Each structure stands twice: as structure tokens, then as C-alpha cells.
Amino acid sequence: MAEYPPFAVTVDLVVLTVRQDALCILLIRRGIPPYHGRWALPGGFVGFDEDLADAAARELTEETGVPEAVGHLEQLGTYGTPGRDPRGRVVTVAYLALLPDLPPPVAGTDAAAADWLPVSRIAEAQLAFDHDVILAAGLERARAKLEYTPLATAFCPPEFTIARLRTVYETVWSSQLDPRNFHRKVTGTPGFVEPAGRVTEGDRGRPAQLYRRGSADLLHPPMLRPSLTRS
Amino acid sequence: MAEYPPFAVTVDLVVLTVRQDALCILLIRRGIPPYHGRWALPGGFVGFDEDLADAAARELTEETGVPEAVGHLEQLGTYGTPGRDPRGRVVTVAYLALLPDLPPPVAGTDAAAADWLPVSRIAEAQLAFDHDVILAAGLERARAKLEYTPLATAFCPPEFTIARLRTVYETVWSSQLDPRNFHRKVTGTPGFVEPAGRVTEGDRGRPAQLYRRGSADLLHPPMLRPSLTRS
DNA sequence: TGAATAGTGTCTCTCAGACAATATCCA
DNA sequence: TGGATATTGTCTGAGAGACACTATTCA
């Protein structure tokens, strides 16, 4: 292998959550060059004896403190254009994480600060490296996956109401959904959710049934984005 | 960067085509260790100043001789489990290529032989490395993408009949489709195909209109796999 | 003419979307 | 009681699947 050019391999994370009716992403403010002071995706180098998915899970836990079983983590794509990192030839494997709303993150060792930012305000943020491209891919992946998988439940706590699930869809898709049709569709899609047997308390209005994530990993029929329905 | 572990980065290709009503994949028989004599995905090391997609396109052209504009090439996923390559720490970025039927491939420099194998017979083939996992991912990606994109046209020559497009779907999905409903659906989906204005000649039966790929890159409504319709 | 394939029309069933109506809580 | 939210029911239109029927070629 000595005759082949050495690459550095990193993982970067697009960590999304829904908080206060806004789709938010976990970013760190870089404390070291390059891009010192800029917002960037959390991430880091892959250990020589470490699997890629393990490295992503490790970084996610380091940055957020969430146990690995919570939420959802999947590979998003790999970015390796020469020159994307001024330090050398760095190929990064991007992962997408979907998490329920969490307490504020702890700053990692190489981060001056870490915080949730609404994705609607990312345009002003001037992300480091090619992280704007990676983020865009993560957002589109998340929006698409809500259509045909039950991954919206990854944004929710273990038990949640249909209305909570609906706000997840509305937030990620930036569109309003009819509460009545949504309710019928979710409960009518086999394996999407299953009743927890309990109800909410203390809110305004009629108490809502609580549900847990179901066993399906593919939705039939899928939930369709209103914006794409018109052809 | 000197303090970070050096990786080798390769690209591997899942190259699919439809020939003689069988879904086939381009494989090379390895002429050098490791896995000497085994079938493997075509691929190779990424140049130090080369973009990942460029490396994939280069390998594809080297192995098949097709111009880059023909067919479809997209990133599939990245595989980097330690130990997946006995030569060292190799991370491979897999790409998926969909091509029209082509003349037999030319053997590359590091391949004792290259040939199209029906995917139905891959189980016996004992692929090298973790290429069976990568192939499985490529097949599932291809099957899924036929549902909501016009990529079935990538398996066809520039001008094709609806029946030809239908055999592509039937071959990739391993299921029979009603010719009449298929015709109505394809021609009724805006941007999927556009008439070329010519018809076939010399075949049995009524001549068929020829079509070209349309401008859409997403199908609304999508084509749905019969096997998944039942829920 | 008959076999073969291309393409159209029709029917039914399911489902998405609009929205009325009912249920059950809190103030 | 009135406001708010949850949940169910009804209607309509679009589209999928089944399949009869017509169109056009070759042998």
C-alpha cells in the first residue's frame, strides 16, 4: 500500500432536531484554524482501527451526550474534492442524525461553542469547508425520508401524540397539514405507530392518545409532501 | 496532518445493465492477490489530485469504454470497516452506474477478465472483499430509484419503445407489468418520456412509437413496485 | 386471414384532500 | 358554558389495476 497516496478520512455530522417548531441543526463554532470562528458541522478524524459508523456514533455522543440508541443515524454521502480542506487531502464521510429535542449541547474539545441553529438562518452563517453543501444534502435526505419511512418518530420522544408527529412533518416540510387527514393516515398506515395506552394530561383541549414508534421501517402507503403533489 | 492515520481511498463500481431480459453486472476476475481469481467489482485507487466522482467516471470508461455522457452514475455509499481489505486500511467509495446494453467489455490492466454476469447468479460467484454487500446496496438503490425517477431510461438506448422500457422495469423488479397500464402511465407522467416522432420497423406486430428520455428528474406520480403495494 | 404487438377505453377500488360533526378536556 | 384540541365520518376526485376492445403490421 505504500505506493498509494495517503488520505485523511473524517466523519461530519448533520444533526437535526425539531425544537420550538423550528428545524434546527447542531453546529460548532470552530476554535482553531482553518475557518477559525466559523460555524461548522461537528465531526472529526476516523481512528485507524475504527469503523466509519462507529466514528460517527462516537462524535455524535461526544457532541450531544445522547445515548447511541436514541434517534437515528445513517450515512449521508462522501465528499472528497481536492482542496476542500486547506490542510491536505481530506475525504469526509457525512452522516445524518435525527434526534428528539434535547438539552443544550456540551462544547467538545475542539469547539469553542456548540449550539442549535434554525436551518432557516443558515444562509447567513457562512459555514466552514463545504459544509453548506453537506447540510443541503442532509436536509433534502431528511425531507425525502419522512415521506416513505417512519423516521419522523426519531424527532420525537419515546411516547408522543399524533399532533406532535404532525408538527415534525410540518416543520421539516415547511407546510401545513390537515390534522384530521394526518391523524387518519398515520393511524391507518400499518406499523407506523402503535398506541402506548396512555393519554396526555394538563393541556388545553381533549387529551390525546400517546403512541410509540411501530415496527415498520417503510411506509405503505407513503406520506406525500403537498408541494410535490402538483405535477 | 501528519499526526492523523493515513488511509487509502478507492472507488468501486456497481455497473448494471439489462441484456437479454436479465439484469447483469459488470465484474472483473482478479488477476492479482488478494482474492486472486475471484470476481470483484471494477474499481481502483483515487488519485491524490482527483475528485471522487472523476475517479469513478474514469474507472467506468476504462472498464467499459463508454463515453461519460452515456447512462447514469451516482454515489452509492462508502465502506470502510477495518480489515475489509487485507492490504491495509482502505476506504472505498462505491458508485452505481446504469448503462444501456453494450458490446462486451475490454479487460482492464489489473483484471484477468471482465464480463457481464446476471445478478441472479451472483450468489455462487463468491465476490471478493465486501463486494457482495456493496452489490446488494446497488441493486436495492436501482430498484428503488426506478420508482420515483426516470432512470429506467438510462438502461435504454437514446431512442426506445415503451415496451423496451417496460422490460427494463420487469427485469430490474423481477415482476410482470401490464403492458396497457404501463403504457398509459408512462406516457401520462409529465416529463418521463417524449415522442421521438419515429416508429420501429421490421418487427412482428404493429410498429411502436419511439421515445426519448424526458426532462423530468422526478416522477409524479411515481411508478410503484407491485410487490410492495400490498401492505 | 391469423398471429402478434401497439395503443385506447372503461370499470372499480383505494386513497388523498376538503371539511362537517362529535368527543373531551380546561378556564 | 365556551374555547380548544382530538378523533371520527362523509364526500369527491385522481390514480392504480383488471381487462375488453381497436389499430397496424408481418407471414
Side-chain angles (χ1 to χ4, degrees):
Chain A
M1 304 293 294
E3 70 266 40
Y4 295 109
F7 289 69
V9 176
T10 60
V11 290
D12 283 314
L13 279 74
V14 177
V15 186
L16 301 178
T17 197
V18 173
R19 43 171 22 204
Q20 292 153 0
D21 292 351
L23 181 61
C24 294
I25 179 170
L26 181 68
L27 293 178
I28 62 165
R29 196 179 281 278
R30 286 184 62 79
I32 55 172
Y35 297 101
H36 186 279
R38 290 272 196 93
W39 290 106
L41 301 178
F45 287 88
V46 177
F48 193 71
D49 294 315
E50 185 178 37
D51 201 351
L52 300 175
D54 292 341
R58 173 178 55 77
E59 291 286 345
L60 181 60
T61 303
E62 286 178 11
E63 301 287 350
T64 65
V66 292
E68 296 199 7
V70 172
H72 169 81
L73 182 65
E74 70 175 43
Q75 194 183 103
L76 176 60
T78 299
Y79 299 80
T81 304
R84 61 173 291 281
D85 188 321
R87 292 169 295 183
R89 187 65 203 271
V90 181
V91 169
T92 194
V93 185
Y95 280 77
L96 174 66
L98 311 181
L99 298 182
D101 196 2
L102 295 165
V106 294
T109 51
D110 59 348
D115 207 356
W116 296 103
L117 268 72
V119 295
S120 55
R121 275 190 246 141
I122 291 300
E124 323 150 13
Q126 293 277 345
L127 298 189
F129 306 103
D130 50 1
H131 288 182
D132 53 340
V133 176
I134 300 174
L135 168 58
L139 288 175
E140 182 46 36
R141 172 79 64 90
R143 288 176 180 135
K145 280 224 158 184
L146 290 210
E147 287 197 303
Y148 57 94
T149 73
L151 279 182
T153 58
F155 286 116
C156 298
E159 295 192 349
F160 51 88
T161 65
I162 302 291
R164 171 65 184 164
L165 193 64
R166 178 166 46 83
T167 64
V168 167
Y169 273 94
E170 291 178 332
T171 303
V172 176
W173 284 352
S174 303
S175 59
Q176 294 296 110
L177 300 176
D178 185 288
R180 299 157 292 184
N181 292 335
F182 183 85
H183 188 284
R184 182 162 34 87
K185 200 159 164 183
V186 169
T187 54
T189 300
F192 194 172
V193 297
E194 57 184 24
R198 307 195 306 117
V199 297
T200 55
E201 292 174 13
D203 285 331
R204 272 175 308 197
R206 172 177 170 178
Q209 292 290 328
L210 285 168
Y211 292 84
R212 274 188 289 266
R213 178 180 170 166
S215 57
D217 46 25
L218 233 44
L219 299 183
H220 292 290
M223 313 286 294
L224 292 178
R225 276 182 274 190
S227 52
L228 297 179
T229 304
R230 0 213 145 277
S231 52
Chain B
M1 304 292 294
E3 70 265 41
Y4 295 110
F7 289 69
V9 176
T10 60
V11 291
D12 284 313
L13 295 167
V14 176
V15 186
L16 301 178
T17 196
V18 173
R19 43 171 23 204
Q20 293 153 0
D21 292 351
L23 181 61
C24 295
I25 179 169
L26 182 69
L27 294 178
I28 61 166
R29 196 179 279 279
R30 287 184 60 81
I32 55 171
Y35 297 101
H36 185 279
R38 289 274 196 91
W39 290 106
L41 300 179
F45 288 87
V46 177
F48 194 71
D49 293 315
E50 186 179 37
D51 201 352
L52 300 176
D54 292 341
R58 171 178 57 76
E59 292 285 346
L60 181 61
T61 303
E62 286 177 11
E63 301 287 350
T64 66
V66 293
E68 297 200 6
V70 172
H72 170 80
L73 183 64
E74 69 175 44
Q75 194 183 104
L76 176 60
T78 298
Y79 299 81
T81 304
R84 61 172 293 278
D85 189 320
R87 293 170 293 183
R89 187 64 203 274
V90 181
V91 169
T92 193
V93 185
Y95 279 78
L96 174 67
L98 311 181
L99 298 182
D101 196 3
L102 294 165
V106 294
T109 53
D110 59 349
D115 206 356
W116 295 104
L117 268 73
V119 296
S120 55
R121 275 189 246 138
I122 291 301
E124 323 149 15
Q126 293 277 345
L127 298 188
F129 306 103
D130 50 2
H131 288 183
D132 53 340
V133 176
I134 300 174
L135 168 58
L139 288 176
E140 182 46 38
R141 172 80 64 91
R143 288 179 179 131
K145 279 224 159 184
L146 291 210
E147 287 197 303
Y148 57 95
T149 73
L151 279 182
T153 58
F155 285 116
C156 297
E159 296 192 351
F160 52 87
T161 65
I162 300 293
R164 170 66 184 163
L165 193 65
R166 178 165 47 83
T167 65
V168 168
Y169 273 94
E170 291 178 331
T171 303
V172 176
W173 284 351
S174 304
S175 60
Q176 295 296 111
L177 300 175
D178 186 289
R180 300 157 291 187
N181 291 336
F182 183 85
H183 188 285
R184 181 160 36 85
K185 199 158 162 182
V186 168
T187 54
T189 300
F192 194 173
V193 297
E194 57 185 25
R198 306 196 305 117
V199 296
T200 56
E201 292 174 14
D203 286 331
R204 269 175 311 200
R206 174 175 168 178
Q209 293 290 328
L210 285 167
Y211 292 84
R212 273 189 288 268
R213 178 181 169 165
S215 56
D217 46 25
L218 235 42
L219 300 184
H220 292 289
M223 312 286 294
L224 292 178
R225 275 182 275 189
S227 51
L228 297 180
T229 304
R230 0 210 144 280
S231 54

